[in-house]
Each structure stands twice: as structure tokens, then as C-alpha cells.
Amino acid sequence: MSLSFKFKYGKNKIKIKLSLTFKKYCCSTAINNCRPARLEAGLYRFSMDQDDIVESLITTVGGFIQDRLLDHRQRALQKEQCGERLAAEDKSSKNDTEVRYSDQAVLANLDWGMDALEEAINTSNTETKMARLDHAEKMLHVCAMLNSSDKTAGVPNSYLSAWAHLNLAYLWKLRNNVTNAVLHVLEMFSIDPFFSRIDFAPEIWKTLFLPHMSSIVGWYSEERHRIMMNMIPDSSDLSFTADFDQYFNESLVFSMRPDQAEKLQNLEKQYGQSLDENTRNYANYFKDCVNHDAETSNKVVRMMPIAEPPMTPLNEVSRKIPDYVKFGPILPKSAGFSPVQKAKNSTRDASSLRAERMASEDLDDSVTWDIKGGIPKENDESDYERDEDYKTESNGHTLTEKNQPSSSQMFSPIISAKSSPNVSSPLQYGNEKVLKSPALSQRTTRAMDYKVTTSLPNSPLLHHDLSTSSADSDNEAREHRISVTKKIGHGRSSNNASIQKHTSEKSFQGEYNIRSPNFGSPQSTQSRPPKDFVCPITSHVFNDPVTLETGQTYERKAIEEWIKRGNTTCPITRQPLSANSLPKTNYVLKRLIASWKEQHLDTSQDLSYPETPTSSYGSPSTRQFQSRNDQNSNSYKPQRFMQVTVATSPTSVISQAAVETIISGLQPSITCLCNSEDLKECETAVFTISKTWKECNGDPTVHACLSSSTIVNGLIDVLTASLSREVLRTTVYILSELLIADDSLREVLTIVDLECLVALLKNGLFEAAVLIYLLKPTFSQLTEFNLIPYLIQNICSKFEDSKDFVLVMNPKDAAIELVGQVLIEGDENSRCSNALTIMSSVNAISSLVMCLDRVDTRQSVMYILLCCIRADRGCRNVIASKIDSCPVLELFHAGNEHVRGMCIEFLWELVQLNRRTLCNQMLQIIKDEGAFSTMHTLLVYLQNAPMEQQPVIASLLLQLDLLVEPRKMSIYREEAIETLIDSLQKKDFPNLQITALDALSSLSGHLSVSGKSLTEAWLLKLAGFDQPYEDFVNKENLETNEKELTDKMDKEEEKASSCWEKRIAYVLCNHEKGRIFIALEECLKSNSIDMTKKCLATATWLVYMLYNFPDTGVREVARKTLLDQFIYVLQSSKNLEQKILATVALRSFISDPGALDELGGYAKCMYKTLKKLKRSSVIVNDIMKTLMNLPSVNAADMWYSSEGFELDTSMNGEVLSMLNFKGRMISSHSDGTIKVWDTSKKTLRMIQEVREHAKAVTCLYVPPSSDKLYSGSMDKTIRIWVIKPEGIHCIQVHDVKESVQGLTADANFAYFFSQSAGVKIYSWSGITKNVPIKQTIKSLALNGSKLYCGCSGFSIQEVDLRKNTSTTFYSGTRKLLGKQSIHSLHIQDNLLFVGGTSIDGTAGKVFSLSSRAVIGSLQSAFDVHLLTVNNDFIFGATKNGIIEVWLKERLTRVASIKSAKLTSMASADDGEMLFAGSSDGRIQIWDLD
């Protein structure tokens, strides 16, 4: 029930809903949210220095703000809620006056500021983000600086100002200034503490402020209790800790007198004012701590304030309230007073605080605080004396005298007010009656509660649901209680027993030490499992929950036994069950339980179902994956086998008389098994023993009877002799049941028995694996027997459970655990060898992947698969194609740090696929699977993970984030990239740096089948150095795999790879304006060769990608940090691959004008190095060309030429024409000879000489992109030749009727000139046309449909071959004296190079064919008769035997080469050689490299 009151608090009208449920109010309002690490009350007040306080503030507030920044929905919801409050305030003011413009402007500024802040949060552009933050800061400061005592548009300024400070805190967090964010949050609490703790940041208030208000909460509880007690008739019979929910009803509430209602109203008002006043005091104190600088300030921070409750007249305090209540807060022991928690909680970071806070909020809805839980004492010595009505037996159980009433309901910390009315009648436990009346004295209640919980700390009696009402249910409950009590009595470990005995003795002596864990108190609210997580039958946390058609959820094994006993109804609702089989596991509930267990590891172990199997690697308490030599021999045993109890049924128990009858019936079978020589009789005895064991549910007495060495040896004899599979399975079942309950039986079984079991396993008895596992064989024994193939066969088999019995564990689980043991305890070589053995088995990998669904062995399966990946990385494709990532994610959520690290490595391996499309699919599955946000979980784990795991986690998180376009800012992306950069900068941890570099390299998406990074090989291939990439292809058969894909898939893959590479490179380069390049610079300076090599590949890739994006200002950072490093590698490295990688980066830098200025200083030394790399890399020419043409560089300094050798061909006359074609040089001579030379080794080696022309061969021509040679001769013929590797072969001869002095041709015509005027166009069909040109033609050049003729008079005529007309392309200036002619034409790159008579120091020009404009002139004092051009230079041969050299790009003269009178000239394709033929029949060669 609740009442609503309105009252004025300050200038605000507050409406408070007053709860009349004392227990419920305290739980939801104050008690359950207390944090023991910061609690201050009485002797529980702990001192904290200033640094600790500041660190706590930064951690708590920073975590809160980060959560808000990640949760857009929460921010929008808060804005909507605050807007509704403003609207409500405006209506309540009833002010009809028009709002002033200034007030409207203030509210508009607040709205604009929050909008700008949202834009900053959502943008990915750093400049836009900073600009929006600056704008938001200006807008929000308008409201933050308001006078808090005034109003704006009817709204209190304190509310607006506090709201503005909260948004300013968000703003400073985005600027990575958490200190300023903390100050704004504290200012918010100082300005308006009420709405700050109600609306803006209740989580922070509960964490930072509420623990200091314990005395106020206690005062409020006391005062409220006093008022309530006056309302209850006959309240003198009630104890102070009675449950008020049982007495309040509507009649009582409406019978409240006006003065009582007024007292409650005044109490609530005074309580709120006290909380607000003290919140403001603590906020100001915290601000002083943050602002105080001990080094520069002489002032001392004032002392921490003390929250004092309002004064209450002593004469108003009822004498019925005990004295300790007047001086201490009324808080339960579960409210967080234990000082043991302080050290643990004080070191938690923001993420763990948030996780605990979320868990606490989840528990608030399902758990209520019982005031009977206890009251903290004011001193170390207890004021309570031992109650004489209670006596304690030696075993620790508490005995109660018959005349003393008891109530089990009062002892349950789980049973809420909702369940209490369901108990319709008292329950009968034998002759002892549970009374319904709760009117017990305070002293009796506390003693009973303390004694019961001390003797049975984990008793299901304290958690059982008492909502059943039928007689059958009562009997079931009674049997359940007896069986569970008996189970706990047998199952208590020696350690727990000693602790409980010690605690019990101290409690009855009245000495309670607050600094030791309170084993006797009820479980705290924070660690107690929610009611929905507990099975109503077993009273333990679910391990395999199943939800029936009635809506009730039970443990699978418990409900299965319920049904096996013949029940056909739901245990709670009593509704009939129509389904023949149980439904599937409730995975949603199971994942929630796993998350809760992760946060409450200690409690979850105590409350786990005793019969629930637990993996040997599944919990933090079991051994880690390390060598068995580092542990004792017992550590390998799974936790479920560490119980010394016989796991009896939770719903059945056998009387002593029945046990004696069973044992008597077993005696004949036991005698037969031990003494009989007849195998058949022994086999029959085995069946009898198995049936009896099953019927008695493993009774301890029966177990003791069967555990003798004689019986065990008899069972082993049956295993050795029997040939019946059913007998063997049954024998294994009996031995495993006996062994699981008593470890000492292992001593009876010898190595011979182990050999027998191994032989049975190899013969196909898979159940033998269970017994082998329980015998705990050593690593040497397992390897000696070579069990791996047979265990894998077991795992791959389809095992069916027996209808007669169920083994203690599945044979597949046992086989998996044994394989895991072999892999874990072996060295690296044996681990690799065994993993290869596993993979050699047919369907082994597929079967292991399917076994990930098995919860008990999931961790071992994943470790086995991980070993297989490490041994043969190619198997990851098979695993990735078949795996369901949900089990791995569940294991990650529920596992400890070691398990999570293994899960991260496993997931990382799965996304290292060589196909980007498949990799993206795998990432999407990982992102979408699981009940929790995978990305948020990874983010939280990243902040707490070991340093060596962080780069891999960050890389995985970054890939998940980049599945979508990186347009908006992402906290996940920012944190991941920041982690990678931080790892690169940790010089003291080189292994961490290398791990980060490997992660960055794999992010590029260039991966092989084995998952190795191909980034370096891909960059080398890009530079034309294909050898490393081809090595990868040959080694891993990449070509074969690629052929299996269709063309459509190849295009899709190419598109996906390109998109991914651009996306990942963009976010890496632009993070914080290129901060990653600064980190890479430091790694390049490392002395580690391995690190330098990896860093060089990564840096080269990022620089290459950077210059494919528009410039965002990052190029300057990359240039300043890395350019010098790349030049240093180019000049100093002795590794060819590293030099080529450096040239790839330098090729990107040459497009940056800023980089060109810096390169000019290194041009000369770099040019020499680059010349040596020309043959290895195709991009070197671009760099050399750029350096040569830099304005700041003297090209003559870089020119190099050396005269090679000469060939004397004077016997063939003059060398009239030369040309270079694909490593061949072809020359024609005046006697009609054509010679073919090989130039591959920078020498001339004649490979063919032909003489089919009758007279001198004046010209040679090879069209572009053709393999035909055209030769013109003075014998009036044109011949067509086919060029082959071995030489040339004439295929056509055309008689053109005139001598040919110059020739060019295409597929349809030949164009030549002779001594007669005009240009001749000869069709290959034999028709000749003449295009008249008045000037004398000296040279020809063909470009498409245009023919250019160099003529006398220094003019160029252009012939349109489609119209057969000529026009003047260029007409030079004539001199009065001398003849001016154009002697040579050359077309390259759409430019026309012209050489001729020197006029005013100009011997040639360069024209643009598209615009007909003059690009530049070739300066020379001599006439140029011959021209040849390569990629870098223009060569012009003059009449007096000098070869002039000009730079092609700048047209500046570089050098001169002296020679004889030249008649022909040609340049090699690569520009490394120059050939010249002279009139005296010599061929001269120059080396230009």
C-alpha cells in the first residue's frame, strides 16, 4: 500500500509517493545500494587519503559518463524526462504572463547546446567533432552560470544549471578530460542535489553519496518505525524486526489519523532535506579534493563532513525500542558493512563498477531485504548473551526444545512479501509443528537466525519456495528437505566443517569479530541469486533449466526424476503435463545465470546444483591450462568429482530398514562375484548389483558395502574375461559409480587394470573412457598407450545412452577431457604431433566443432581446436564453415580471465580467413550472436585484459565495429585504435609491440590460407617484385583455391576486399590526426630486426593507402614522421625487399608537394640507389623521374653514362637505320643487309643476318603494339617481316616503283617519301596515291589518322589520311642565309619531338599534338639530324658527331656525348642503353645506368 503527499520543498512543489511497506522501502531506496567500500558509520568508518578519493571519483564518474555516451537511448530518454518536468513545472506555475525573450534565449541555448553535443558524439570527423564541442560548450555555459536562486520561464535555475553541468561533463569526457567532467558532475550535485539524485545521476549518488548517509537512513528508519508501531493495534506483542507486510491492510491505512499522516509527511520532508543538505556538503568536499594541489598549495583540504541525522527528542523515543537502535543505524548485515570487501571493491575500475551496479539493479526487483538479517554492532564485543534455550551438538547442528516455537518462514532471505500469503496452513515435520504466528521476541529471533545459518550456510531450507499447498506437495517438500539436509551433512568438506565449528563456537561465546567473514549471516543482497535463477525442487541455481508448458522452470535432472517416479503433473501448479518429452534448454535464462555467476563467483559455486557436472577447466577454482608438473596430482579432477558425498536424489531417501534389506539381498551376488569361477554367474551378479545400486540411488551404506577391494577386483576380473558388451558396460557403470564417490578406490586399481581398460577402449567399448578418466592416468601413461586415435574415434561415434543406467559422465566428455589432458601436459612438439594426429582422423574437426554444444567440455573442445589451428592453420577454414559461435561467446561471458583469453585467441583465428566475404560473414555472426552485446563485452574486457592480449582484443573489436561504414564516431573504434597505438608505444615491451604490429598487418585483409599476413608480399608485388608473392602461392597452393571460385565470386571478393582495406586504413590513418604514424616512427627506430621489418611493411601499407584518400591534414604528420625513416631504409638497408618497400612508400610521397621539397636534399644520393633497383621494381622509374625534374635539383649531377664497346660492321657499309624492339636491336646497312642483335646482357650479340634487299635498306619501322617489321630500300621495294625470338622472317614484298628514303606504315597502308615531291600512300593491294607537298620532305611520323612530315623551310605538314589532304602544322622563321630544315620527327606520349637546323640556339621543339602548342625548345648550337626519346631523356645527334642530351620533363640540357659522324640512333626500352651507327660502319654503345 502507498499514500501520496504533496508538499513544498524550497520553492518547488514535490509529490512523494509514501510507501507503507517498511521492508520494501528500505530495500529499494537505500539499503541494497550501499557500497561497503565507501561506507562510513561508527566503527565501520575507514579513512581515505585525497588521492584515493580523487581516483575513486574519476573511476566512478568516468564509468557512468562512458555508459551514458554509449547508450543513445538512455540519453534521449533522460532528455525527454527532463523536458516533461519542465512542461509540468510550467503548467503548475499558473502564470499567464508572457515569457520574456531573454528567458526563451536561455532555454534555446540549453537545447542548442545539447543538440551540438549529440552531433559531436555521432560524428566521425575529428575537426567537425571539435567544432561542435566548442559550440556546445558556449551554449551550455549560458545555463550553467545562471543564478540558482532565480527562475527562468517559471523553471528553477538550479534545475537548468544542474542539467547543463551534466551535459558539460559529457563534453569534457569526449575531450578525454575526466577531471573536468568530475568537477561538473560535482557542481551539479552542489547546485541541485535533489534532482541530481532523482533524475540526472541516481547511480552516482548511490555510489558516492549514499554510503555516507547511513546515519540519516538509520534515523529515518527508526522514526518511521516508531510512527508505524503506533498505528498497529496490540503492537506490544510485536518484535522490532517483525515483518510489517503481514499486518498492513487497506483498513489500517485508511484508519490513519490526520496527525499520524502529518507526522509521516514531515518525516519524509525532513529526511529529503537532510539528504540534500549532506549531498551538497559532500559534493563541495569532493570538489576541494579534486582541485587541491599538494605541491603548489599551502592550504590543507578541509576534513570530510559527517552526515548527522536531524535531532529527535529523547522523550519521544519509545522505551520498547532496544537501546542499540537509538545509537546505530537500522541496517542489515547484507547492506554492505563488511570491511573485508573494502580492499576488493576499491580497486575496481569503471567497467567492473558498472557491472556490479547493473547486477544490483537486476536483483532489486526479485529480492527484498528482511530486517531480521541483523543489525551492525557499535563495538567489537557483542552485547548479546547465549540463549539457554538452545543447545548445540558436536556435529554443529542446532537442537531446539519442544516447547520453543519456530518459524522456517522467518529464516528465508529469499521469500518475499509476495510469497508469504500463499502459506495457507502450518507444515508438519514429524511431531514438530511450524507455527504461523511470527510474534517472536527480538532475542529469540536473532539467536535462531544466527544459529541456523551458521550450522547450514548453504542449506536449501533457506531458499526453498513454500508456495505449494497440497498434501502431496507437502510430503514432497518434507522428503526434499530431509534428503538435502542429509546430503549436506555428508557432503560438507573438512575445511568448511572446521570453519563452521570455529564460527559456531565464537558465536555462542558472544565474541563476533567483524573483520572476519561472517559465515553465519544470510547471504548478502548483492551475492544472493535471484529467485528466478533457483530451481524450486533442488533449491540450487539452475545448470540446465527447462521451462514446462505450465510456465514453470525446473532443473532438467530434477524434473526428469519427478516424472520417472510416475508423476504426471507440474510440481508447483499441479497442472497435467501433456508432453511426452521435456522441452529444450531455456538458453536465455541460462545465459543470464552465466552472467550472474561471473559477477558472483564464490556464491555461484556454493549454490550450484550438486549433481551438475562442471568442466575440469570450467571454473576459476579448477586448474588452468599449464603443465601438470606444476600442480599436485589431484588438481586435474573436475570440480563435480571433488564432492565426497554420494549424490543422492533430491526427492527421495531410503530408510535404514530398507537399506539393510537391500544389503542382505546383495550378499549372494557379492559372494558369487568374489568366489565363483563361473563367468555366467559373475555376469548375472554384475547385473544384479547394477540394478540394486540404481534402485537405492547410491545410498552411502550400500556404497560402503560395495567398496571393498575384493569386490572391485572381482569386477575387474569380469572386465578382463567377459565378451558381452552389455556386461562390460554395466561393469564400467558400477566401477565408475563407486570411484566417483570414493577416490581411495583408485589405489585398488593397478596399471594392469588400466591396460585392460585401454584394450577395451581400443576394441570399441567407448564407455571405458569414463573409467580411464576417473583413474586419473598420468601424461606418460596416456602417451605410452597411444590413445589419441581411439579417443577421437570415440568422439566421432554416435553414442547412445543405456536405457538401464546413466554413466556419471558421457563417454564423449571423458574422451574430450583425456585428449585435452594429453595436449595440455605435453611439450610443443608433442602437442603439434598429437594435433596433426587428430586432424588426420576423418571428420574429427567436424565432430569436435559439434561438441562445442556440450557445456561440460566446451572449454576443452575449444582448446583442442585451437591446438589444431596452431599445428595446421589451414584447418581454420573448416572450423569457420561449421562452427556456431554462440557456445564460444557463452564461454567467454561465463569464463575467468584465462578462459576469456583463450576464447579471444580462438575467435581471432576464426576471422583470419583469406576470403574477405567469408571473414565478414564470420564477424557478423560473432557480432549478432549471444544474449549480450559482444562488442560491449569485448570493450569491458579490453579495459581489464592482460597487456599481452590487448592488441588482439582491440583488433577483433575494431573489425566488428567496421562491419558498417565508419561514418559516426564509435567508442568501440576509438578505444580499439587507442589500445593498438598504446601497445606500439610501449618500448619496454617489445613482444607487445610485435603483437600489435602483427594485428595491424592482418587488418589489411591480405591473408593466406594459413592466416599469415600477405601485406608485405602484396606490396612487393605492387612494386613489380613478384617473387615473394609467388613463393606464397607455390607453398600454400593459393592458385588452386582461387580456381575453385567462379568469376562472379572473384569480382565479389575483389570488391569486398577493396572496400574493407579502404575502410580499415581510413580509420587508422585519421585517428587523432595521424597519431599512429608517430607510434610507427618509434618502432622503425627500434634495434630489433624483426620489429623493424614488420613495422616497415605496416607503415608502407598505411602510407600507400593514405595517398589514395583525399587529404584530411594527416599527410603532413605522416611525412614529418616517416619520410626520413623510409629514406634511411632505402639508403642503409642491405635487404632488397626492405628497399623495395621503402620505394613503394616514397612513390606515394612524391605526389605531395611538401615531401618533394624534403626529397630534393636527398635526390643525388637516392638517385644512385634507385638506379640499382630499376630492374627489381617498376615504380623506381617514377621516383627517379620525379627527382630528376625537381627544380631544386641539378639534373647534370644525376646524369651518368659510360662508353661501352664498338662493333665494326664496315664490311656491310654504313649503318643507315636502327631500332630497338623487346630486347632486340635491328640495324640496316647500305649493302642491303639487315642484322638482328640481342641486347639482354647489355652487349650486342648478333643472332641473325639477312640480305634480301638488293640495295641499301634506308629505313626500318615497327608500328606500336605490333610484331611486324617494315623495311624500305633503294631497290624500290618494301618488305614486311615477322619478328620472332630467333630472328625475322620476310612474309611480303611490295614493289612501290620508287626508292624509299623514309617509311612508316600501319595495317592497311605504307607511307613513304622518295626523291620526288610529295608523300606517297601505298595500299598493300598495290595502289599508290600521292599527296602533294611543295616542300622537300626530310622525315615522317605517324599518329593514328594523321601523318606528320618534316620539311625544308623548318615547317611541319600534317596530312589527313582520311581525306588525303595536307595542312601546315608549323611554319618556322626563315633566315636570309642558309637552309633550314626539319631532319627528324619522333612521337611519344602524345608529344611531337622535332629536330632540325639550329636557329638562334634552338635546334628543336616539342609540340602537343592535341593543342598544337609549343611545349618547349631544345637548345643547341648545332643542327640536330637524328632524334630518339626514352622515358627520361631526349637524345639528338648533330652533324659534327656530338649527341646532345635533354631532360624530357623539363627540356633542359643535361650532357653531351662525343662520337663520330652518326647516321642512325636508337635507345633501349628501359633507357639503360643508347645505340648509334656511324657512316664508317661502326655501331657504338653507351651504358646509361
Side-chain angles (χ1 to χ4, degrees), residues 529-548 551-559 572 585-597 604 607-614 855:
K531 184 178 180 181
D532 294 334
F533 291 1
V534 178
C535 174
I537 295 179
T538 66
S539 298
H540 289 83
V541 175
F542 287 116
N543 178 68
D544 188 4
V546 289
T547 302
L548 304 184
Q552 301 297 322
T553 304
Y554 303 96
E555 179 67 37
R556 180 180 295 276
K557 290 190 176 182
I559 193 64
I572 292 181
T585 301
N586 188 338
Y587 283 105
V588 175
L589 178 59
K590 190 171 183 178
R591 291 168 186 164
L592 292 174
I593 294 173
S595 177
W596 177 84
K597 285 183 176 181
S604 62
L607 295 175
S608 295
Y609 181 42
E611 292 183 352
T612 300
T614 305
V855 179

Side-chain angles (χ1 to χ4, degrees), residues 829-891:
N829 293 331
S830 66
R831 189 178 298 119
C832 180
S833 175
N834 287 321
L836 293 174
T837 303
I838 294 172
M839 288 184 288
S840 64
S841 302
V842 180
N843 297 327
I845 298 297
S846 301
S847 300
L848 285 169
V849 171
M850 294 177 61
C851 288
L852 281 173
D853 293 331
R854 310 177 74 88
V855 179
D856 298 336
T857 56
R858 181 175 294 168
Q859 185 174 336
S860 298
V861 172
M862 189 173 66
Y863 181 76
I864 296 171
L865 291 174
L866 202 53
C867 290
C868 293
I869 293 176
R870 293 167 182 167
D872 182 4
R873 307 178 76 88
C875 73
R876 67 159 54 82
N877 291 325
V878 179
I879 298 174
S881 63
K882 299 179 179 295
I883 196 170
D884 177 12
S885 62
C886 190
V888 182
L889 295 175
E890 288 180 356
L891 186 61

Side-chain angles (χ1 to χ4, degrees), residues 409-450:
Q409 182 180 350
M410 297 187 65
F411 300 146
S412 174
I414 292 295
I415 301 174
S416 64
K418 295 181 180 179
S419 63
S420 297
N422 294 335
V423 183
S424 58
S425 62
L427 302 177
Q428 300 288 338
Y429 295 110
N431 297 327
E432 183 178 343
K433 191 172 184 178
V434 179
L435 299 180
K436 183 177 180 180
S437 173
L440 304 176
S441 66
Q442 169 68 22
R443 183 168 182 167
T444 303
T445 303
R446 289 179 56 81
M448 279 290 295
D449 181 41
Y450 188 75

